[in-house]
Amino acid sequence: MPLMRPIPTDLLELGAHGSYSAHAWSARGYGVIEIPGDGPLWGLGGHVTLGKRWGWVGLGGTLDGTVWSVPYARWAYDGPAEYAGGYALGEAVAWYALEEQGRLGVLRVSGTVGTSFHVGLFDSAVGLAFVPDIRNRGFTNSPVPPVEWGGLSLVPTVDLGLLIAPVRVGVQGWYATGAPAATQRLATGFGVRGQVEVRETLKRP
């Protein structure tokens, strides 16, 4: 989940990014059957950051658009009628037959506001991201898209980095709130990622 970028200069930054999450890094929800093949989640996108610096402090915001390739599987219930629509636990998984499997392209647009700090090589930031939630469709009586939009996650974020021009190396940590009702609208909790950026300045001829 692209969240926040420190403000490297006044006014404008344009960038592109890629993200990857292996199946082994994810947590399976209660009553959710595993997707065969352990397909990863990956995304490609771009972002624009507008900001202003005053010495070593900067204020700004980032608008991020990422197209995610989301693996999915659709299962059809084929077990006892009295348990139809319930959770698939333990041996009950055998009551579901794989009907369809594939990948979806999902565009998610998120925004972040934050403050950045640049002192010597130290280049870091704190901010708050607003991220729309994508969640599993769950049990239905008719064929529908396997994912749906949920609420809006509010994601406080801290970024710590070193800028050795033109390369910046950093790490981000965050806590996401606001997703499925099954977790009382507390989403995935803590997250962390590492990042490496190459920054170049576009100058007029």
Side-chain angles (χ1 to χ4, degrees):
M1 130 179 0
L3 296 176
M4 177 176 59
R5 287 159 187 87
I7 302 164
T9 186
D10 285 347
L11 299 182
L12 178 67
E13 176 192 280
L14 300 175
H17 55 263
S19 299
Y20 176 88
S21 178
H23 178 79
W25 304 343
S26 64
R28 184 161 60 112
Y30 180 77
V32 177
I33 304 175
E34 290 280 4
I35 296 177
D38 297 343
L41 179 71
W42 57 267
L44 296 173
H47 64 271
V48 56
T49 296
L50 296 174
K52 176 68 176 177
R53 297 197 67 86
W54 295 272
W56 57 278
V57 178
L59 296 174
T62 295
L63 188 65
D64 182 297
T66 302
V67 177
W68 290 95
S69 177
V70 182
Y72 75 92
R74 178 179 283 120
W75 302 82
Y77 181 75
D78 192 29
E82 61 267 29
Y83 297 117
Y87 288 112
L89 297 175
E91 295 180 356
V93 173
W95 296 345
Y96 292 82
L98 181 62
E99 188 176 71
E100 181 182 344
Q101 183 177 1
R103 301 188 75 91
L104 291 175
V106 180
L107 171 63
R108 181 165 66 179
V109 178
S110 59
T112 306
V113 293
T115 302
S116 66
F117 309 91
H118 184 89
V119 180
L121 298 180
F122 184 73
D123 184 68
S124 299
V126 294
L128 180 65
F130 303 86
V131 183
D133 294 316
I134 304 170
R135 63 191 184 192
N136 178 27
R137 176 70 70 172
F139 295 100
T140 64
N141 294 322
S142 60
V144 293
V147 300
E148 64 182 353
W149 293 102
L152 187 69
S153 283
L154 304 180
V155 189
T157 307
V158 176
D159 181 288
L160 301 175
L162 295 175
L163 178 59
I164 306 173
V167 176
R168 182 186 185 277
V169 179
V171 61
Q172 283 193 13
W174 62 83
Y175 185 82
T177 64
T183 56
Q184 301 302 313
R185 299 205 171 276
L186 295 178
T188 53
F190 291 100
V192 65
R193 74 174 183 186
Q195 52 193 19
V196 178
E197 302 175 45
V198 178
R199 293 180 173 176
E200 294 290 347
T201 300
L202 298 178
K203 297 181 179 180
R204 293 181 180 179

PDB file of all heavy atoms in Angstrom, residues 45 103 155:
ATOM      1  N   GLY A  45       1.790   1.646 -10.285  1.00  0.00           N
ATOM      2  CA  GLY A  45       1.070   2.903 -10.213  1.00  0.00           C
ATOM      3  C   GLY A  45       1.961   4.112 -10.309  1.00  0.00           C
ATOM      4  O   GLY A  45       3.171   4.011 -10.555  1.00  0.00           O
ATOM      5  N   ARG A 103      -7.514 -13.589 -11.925  1.00  0.00           N
ATOM      6  CA  ARG A 103      -6.989 -12.366 -11.328  1.00  0.00           C
ATOM      7  C   ARG A 103      -7.851 -11.188 -11.782  1.00  0.00           C
ATOM      8  O   ARG A 103      -8.376 -11.188 -12.899  1.00  0.00           O
ATOM      9  CB  ARG A 103      -5.536 -12.134 -11.723  1.00  0.00           C
ATOM     10  CG  ARG A 103      -4.593 -13.258 -11.326  1.00  0.00           C
ATOM     11  CD  ARG A 103      -3.149 -12.871 -11.587  1.00  0.00           C
ATOM     12  NE  ARG A 103      -2.664 -11.924 -10.598  1.00  0.00           N
ATOM     13  CZ  ARG A 103      -2.066 -12.260  -9.461  1.00  0.00           C
ATOM     14  NH1 ARG A 103      -1.884 -13.541  -9.165  1.00  0.00           N
ATOM     15  NH2 ARG A 103      -1.647 -11.343  -8.613  1.00  0.00           N
ATOM     16  N   VAL A 155      -4.733   5.814   8.055  1.00  0.00           N
ATOM     17  CA  VAL A 155      -3.468   5.123   8.249  1.00  0.00           C
ATOM     18  C   VAL A 155      -2.379   6.094   8.703  1.00  0.00           C
ATOM     19  O   VAL A 155      -1.707   6.723   7.874  1.00  0.00           O
ATOM     20  CB  VAL A 155      -3.030   4.409   6.948  1.00  0.00           C
ATOM     21  CG1 VAL A 155      -1.828   3.507   7.206  1.00  0.00           C
ATOM     22  CG2 VAL A 155      -4.174   3.593   6.366  1.00  0.00           C
TER      23      VAL A 155
END
